[in-house]
Amino acid sequence: MAATRDAAELLFYVNGRKVIEKNADPETMLLPYLRKTLRFTGTKYGCGGGGCGACTVMISRYNPVTKKIRHYPANACLIPICSLYGAAVTTVEGIGSTNTRIHPVQERIAKCHGTQCGFCTPGMVMSIYTLLRNHPEPSMGQLTDALGGNLCRCTGYRPIIDACRTFCRTTDCCQIKENGVCCLDQETNGLLGFKEESKESPKLFAEEEFLPLDPTQELIFPPELMIMAEKQPQKMRVFGGERMTWISPVTLKELLESKYKYPQAPVVMGNTSVGPEVKFKGVFHPVIISPDRIEELNIVKYADDGLTIGAGLSLAQVKDILAYVLQTFPEDKTQTYKALWKHLGTLAGSQIRNMASLGGHIVSRHLDSDLNPLLAVGNCTLNLLSKGGDRQIPLNGEFLGKCSHADLKPEEILLSVTIPHTRKGEFVSAFRQAQRQQNALAIVNSGMRVFFEEGKGVIRELSIAYGGVGPTTICANNSCQKLIGRAWNEEMLDVACRLILDEVSLPGSAPGGKVEFKRTLIISFFFKFYLEVSQILKKMDPAHYPSLADNYASALEDLHYKHHWSELNYQSVDPQQRPQDPIGHPIMHLSGIKHATGEAIYCDDLPAVDQELFLTFVTSSRAHAKIVSIDVSEALSLPGVVDVVTAEHLRDVNSFSAFNEPEKLLAKDEVSCVGDLVCAVIADSQVQAKRAAERVKIVYKDLEPLILTIEEAIQHNSFFEPERKLEYGNVDEAFNLVDQILEGEIHMGGQEHFYMETQSMLAVPKGEDQEMDVYVSTQFPKYIQDIVASTLKVPANKVMCHVRRVGGAFGGKVAKTGILAAITAFAANKLGRAVRCVLERGEDMLITGGRHPYLAKYKVGFMNDGRILALDVVHYSNGGTSLDESILVMEMGLLKMDNAYKFPNLRSRALACRTNLPSNTAFRGFGFPQAGLITEACITDVAARCGLFPEKVRTINMYKEIDQAPYKQEIDAKNLIQCWRECIAMSSYYLRKAAVEKYNAENHWKKRGLAMVPLKYPVGMGSVAAGQAAALVHIYLDGSVLVTHGGIEMGQGVHTKMIQVASRELRMPMSNVHLRATSTETIPNANVSGGSVVADLNGLAVKDACQTLLKRLEPIISKNPQGTWKDWAQAAFDESISLSATGYFRGYESNMDWEKGEGHPFEYFVYGAACSEVEIDCLTGNHKNIRTDIVMDVGCSINPALDIGQIEGAFIQGMGLYTIEELSYSPQGVLHTRGPNQYKIPAICDVPTELHISLLPPSENSNTLYSSKGLGESGLFLGCSVFFAIHDAISAARRERGLRGPLKLNSPLTPEKIRMACEDKFTKMIPRDEPGSYVPWKIQV
């Protein structure tokens, strides 16, 4: 249907300004509209599916009936602009800026060091701001809940929680007074105290200086919108676009008319279900009906028999209604409401809950819907309406299975839902298990209800429904029927489990995988329900019902969850230091305030260049195939499409040698992985480029062999050259002398970088001399310059690469970024127009590769007291299809694999496998997180075999003071031993070990684990050349200073540290020094920013330049010691003394001879230790990190706030790597996990309840920058303390169940692996599929 003649005018407000859109396109979302049309670039694109919170804005609407304004957070990426009629939108720019005044939320998140790369910060700010608009004095629970839908990859969330805490009513208390006692009055969070002995440490920020929050100063709701809403009559609005029509009825009559006229059109309220389907699944609707403020859809009726809730209410509103009902109605009537309310606490994030409607949630019938199984068992009724009249249908299994006779008719709408009260003797419960506790779709969820005959424990009614185990919600009706009339006892439980497993059956190849886990959850949930109901029956009638075993009671409690508190101990500044000298002070990130106001500019925030084009890639859908033909004719015929670039166009520049073998840019004759770049479509808009890319037709012919896994690579002998070896001592001889020998293996999965800002670039041809400017989000501008120059066949001096800041990188913005930039620049050069390329999150995850999966096989010889005398280990990494940095990663892993231990006889080999997956690449830690885990797993195995605590075996094998590494470099391990001892003391390790054992003896279904891991992280680049750095410092005649250097600011605060360096060296205030973007124009040939040394190396270069300048100016300053910098600069100019200097650092001494297996590859070592305690739920596989203590040796910290931020950010990223971050590939090599909905990085709910970080006092003076140490990567490995704490808890569960054999656990330790390792009668009861009898949904690569 084309646009109607009287198309409506769209009117809404943004940041207090009226926006009128004469021809609004229904397909336009608010996010691109804000960013591209209105140029509010503070709101960021992070995932496009409502899963990361980067695009959070506040929506305000006025209700003329209640006369109230509702403010709620929403994901701009999912909001069609046509749905905003009469609404007021507030973005981060609207609440404060550096030009007007900043808002207290913006100030506090910046000054509490809650921003690093800053890309997620505007979304965080808007989530907190919206909460404060509704609750000016929130509780800590409300704050963490408000941030549940916002992801951050840099900070580890602790400083963001600190910023939030400053708004709370009471700063320290959790506000959950259990039994009337505050958590702070009890022993610290139920653990042995840490408070008593803690020394006052200087604070990282001064809370008393913060701006007060004044609710009277906020933006008012536009009066025009109030008058508009009050002034009925409203009339139906129709917006017509090129392909779609949007109908917004404002009365029930209009809605029914529209639905009668367009029966196939979906009714959209929040667009959280239809939106992602359109975006990610290519579903198209020519007409959409979106009711606006229809009162009948928003009713709430409290009747004697139940509660009727309008289908148009948002899930957040439903949650508030249920909270009210729970407080006002008697408990026996509210069983269903309580279960629903509990589920709504973890369903999605706050933004989605505020957008999604109850009706939409029910009618979409997603297979993993959390509410539908509960509503089905609760005997709810759907109240339907159409032009033909109203009718009621039950919300039951048939409705959920979309049986035509039990479904809505095409012309009907869902008006409301009636949820009956529960009766006396009726019990309802809800269960769910997801990869992450909050904002994650359930793997399995369930609703269960039982009704007993009066006074007897005999089942009269039983209803059970499951989500996540079939194409739709499944009701176990037959099993329930057979159990009616039975008594509620152990015998019934056993029969029920078998019946349910028979009825709710899952094939081995079921979508989503995790089949045995799902089968186990199905009956584990029923067992939890059995225990819950038994406990209530016992309380009601103690004489008739057996009491639960004491050690079973904890099965019903939620995992240890209290509000966060943290303690940070860092070094004090030397009292001898000059008061103006900023070194050693916790100075806020230079861009902190700009991050928080949305003024910090990232690559895609750059305004469009005149006649700019957009490029999108067409990628391979096959993992190993010959390209038979590429047909681009249909793509080129679309309006707005300018060109399609293929390998034919690139010809002889279609490859570039960066590492030891050439990397191809576009696939020519064959593709070697899914996600291989085949061609690039260039059009005048992103939308057109995407549409055209879908029309490119490629014919493939599959090739053999298809190698995806490490095992397949070993079988086909598919490796990259060279293999690396390291030997020390005499391994074979040592194996003859030991008491015991043990062999084992461990597999470790990969990890996605998940930087918040996806790969972004803009290539601008300058129009003369073949010059090209490339603006790109990269860690390595020199590489971009080289690869672009090679592709354009021009010398490097014609190509300039500029990087202001990067929205997170972690190693993922080097090699592949170069290839993407080269193709973008080639297109720009060919067409003579600027070309922009910004990958969508799913494309980015598909194309770029991440951390290498590892497989290690080890053989270890040891004495009975735990001393390891011989270790023989082979590392295999999955390198993917091209070399990239795989060999370098293997080498570093090999050199660092000893971690903190002296193995007198060691033989280690490392091979990188060539497979048909996208090339894996550099990632924070660079091989050590894998190699270190393998060594620690080996230690844990030895401890189990010797019957010792792992910590005892760790201590006995640790380096002692002065020693030698396997590559013959000397080590001084004094600080390692000090970190270890301090961590034992700070964490009260022995006291808590005893407390954990006591807890485990008293609890059968919950277990706690405690683990402590040491760290020795060598820092160095492996060669002198890789460590050189340069800087350029200018002094201007007004006395101001400009600094540029070769390092990239990607959140680690390197620019802030450089200004601190210049301030100290030139003895001038930091406010006098400015820093410009990094560019190949000012600093040539700069090395890659990575390897923890960016501030080290560039800081030494800045220091060198400043010292050169001071030396030149010394005579002038000594003549006028009381002068200002302005006086001195002018005097120098008058005497013709240059006020500009380059600084240079040639690199640390570094070499490694792999033939001899010896060298001096590293400059220094970062030492540390971490102790973590976790609690696991043996029935579901859930875990919670209760407490982590970290001690780090950081030398002399240049900026403790930034350094602690690096340590805890890396720790949380490492915790994700070892626990919940799981990549899934199909047996055909297709990546399933392509966004935050499928791939879970840690969220705010994963932060340890208690986090204590302590830095050792300043130590040895080294030849690093002011004796500091680089801390970007080392802390990541400490995340494995959580892995081994879970291992400890699982071991306790297995010992109690009489399972004594060796325990083999691979990483990541997901809920699935935890549950299946805690073997019990339920894991034994499930059916198992023979391997080979089915095609699995995913494989371990």
Side-chain angles (χ1 to χ4, degrees), residues 1111-1122:
K1111 204 165 175 188
R1112 281 184 207 156
L1113 295 172
E1114 225 159 56
I1116 288 188
I1117 296 172
S1118 56
K1119 276 184 207 159
N1120 177 12
Q1122 297 307 308

Side-chain angles (χ1 to χ4, degrees), residues 753-859:
H753 295 97
F754 214 95
Y755 27 70
M756 294 303 293
E757 174 200 32
T758 58
Q759 301 278 351
S760 315
M761 55 217 59
L762 170 64
V764 185
K766 301 309 280 180
E768 59 177 319
D769 296 336
Q770 295 177 292
E771 285 182 5
M772 177 76 71
D773 273 348
V774 188
Y775 301 88
V776 56
S777 179
T778 181
Q779 295 169 256
F780 201 177
K782 168 189 173 286
Y783 175 58
I784 303 287
Q785 180 185 32
D786 291 347
I787 190 170
V788 168
S790 154
T791 311
L792 301 185
K793 294 185 172 172
V794 298
N797 62 6
K798 301 284 181 77
V799 177
M800 288 303 136
C801 176
H802 311 280
V803 186
R804 180 176 280 279
R805 62 173 59 80
V806 172
F810 315 112
K813 290 184 175 172
V814 183
K816 196 60 106 179
T817 312
I819 291 173
L820 303 173
I823 298 164
T824 306
F826 181 86
N829 188 55
K830 180 171 186 258
L831 301 166
R833 288 165 73 176
V835 176
R836 189 181 297 250
C837 172
V838 179
L839 294 190
E840 289 195 339
R841 176 65 63 190
E843 298 176 305
D844 191 303
M845 291 183 74
L846 180 71
I847 292 168
T848 60
R851 191 183 296 283
H852 292 72
Y854 260 55
L855 171 70
K857 303 186 180 207
Y858 52 84
K859 178 178 170 187

Side-chain angles (χ1 to χ4, degrees), residues 1317-1335:
C1318 294
E1319 293 175 37
D1320 54 31
K1321 60 183 176 188
F1322 304 111
T1323 56
K1324 290 195 179 76
M1325 203 183 273
I1326 61 161
R1328 309 251 175 177
D1329 302 291
E1330 280 297 312
S1333 64
Y1334 64 99
V1335 176

Side-chain angles (χ1 to χ4, degrees), residues 462 464 466 476-484 486 491-505 522-523 526 1325:
L462 180 63
I464 301 172
Y466 292 102
N477 294 339
N478 297 343
S479 308
C480 294
Q481 205 50 47
K482 289 177 182 160
L483 294 166
I484 288 173
R486 278 185 174 268
E491 188 188 337
M492 180 281 308
L493 170 70
D494 194 62
V495 172
C497 288
R498 292 175 201 288
L499 286 171
I500 293 168
L501 278 174
D502 274 354
E503 185 172 359
V504 184
S505 65
I522 287 169
I523 49 177
F526 184 74
M1325 203 183 273

Side-chain angles (χ1 to χ4, degrees), residues 892-1075:
M892 283 297 171
L894 215 48
L895 291 173
K896 299 179 184 185
M897 57 87 54
D898 56 325
N899 188 17
Y901 310 109
K902 174 70 175 179
F903 299 120
N905 303 285
L906 172 71
R907 179 192 296 133
S908 47
R909 291 167 50 218
L911 298 98
C913 303
R914 189 191 289 270
T915 60
N916 296 118
L917 292 178
S919 294
N920 285 312
T921 187
F923 199 142
R924 194 180 202 167
F926 211 74
F928 176 64
Q930 298 98 314
L933 181 82
I934 292 157
T935 303
E936 294 298 337
C938 193
I939 294 261
T940 309
D941 272 6
V942 169
R945 180 68 72 85
C946 296
L948 299 167
F949 285 150
E951 286 61 31
K952 177 97 195 283
V953 178
R954 290 189 168 106
T955 311
I956 205 169
N957 287 295
M958 218 173 276
Y959 279 111
K960 310 284 183 278
E961 305 273 325
I962 305 293
D963 216 322
Q964 202 181 44
Y967 39 88
K968 316 274 199 307
Q969 180 174 339
E970 189 178 275
I971 289 178
D972 178 357
K974 184 169 87 260
N975 285 3
L976 167 66
I977 294 156
Q978 197 183 336
C979 285
W980 184 250
R981 287 183 183 145
E982 229 174 87
C983 193
I984 287 177
M986 173 167 131
S987 65
S988 322
Y989 174 78
Y990 293 108
L991 275 173
R992 282 172 53 218
K993 186 87 184 156
V996 164
E997 287 179 8
K998 179 173 184 289
Y999 178 90
N1000 289 344
E1002 292 167 3
N1003 294 278
H1004 188 76
W1005 297 110
K1006 291 254 171 38
K1007 294 291 174 201
R1008 286 189 181 169
L1010 186 67
M1012 195 160 137
V1013 173
L1015 163 76
K1016 169 180 73 68
Y1017 187 82
V1019 175
M1021 297 306 280
S1023 79
V1024 182
Q1028 59 191 314
L1032 180 60
V1033 177
H1034 300 319
I1035 301 173
Y1036 294 93
L1037 295 186
D1038 63 354
S1040 65
V1041 169
L1042 178 67
V1043 175
T1044 50
H1045 61 96
I1048 296 293
E1049 175 58 69
M1050 42 201 173
Q1052 83 284 44
V1054 65
H1055 287 355
T1056 310
K1057 286 185 175 179
M1058 293 309 97
I1059 287 189
Q1060 285 179 275
V1061 172
S1063 167
R1064 165 180 271 192
E1065 293 302 329
L1066 297 173
R1067 298 198 277 280
M1068 63 165 59
M1070 286 178 66
S1071 56
N1072 237 22
V1073 187
H1074 181 58
L1075 208 146

Side-chain angles (χ1 to χ4, degrees), residues 270-323:
N271 200 42
T272 58
S273 186
V274 171
E277 277 184 354
V278 169
K279 185 171 171 57
F280 300 118
K281 295 183 182 170
V283 177
F284 177 70
H285 302 286
V287 179
I288 279 184
I289 300 171
S290 179
D292 182 25
R293 307 181 207 192
I294 296 177
E295 264 183 75
E296 293 88 340
L297 289 175
N298 293 332
I299 55 154
V300 183
K301 271 198 207 132
Y302 305 99
D304 292 341
D305 55 347
L307 174 66
T308 300
I309 302 181
L313 288 165
S314 75
L315 296 179
Q317 290 170 309
V318 172
K319 186 171 181 244
D320 292 342
I321 292 160
L322 293 172

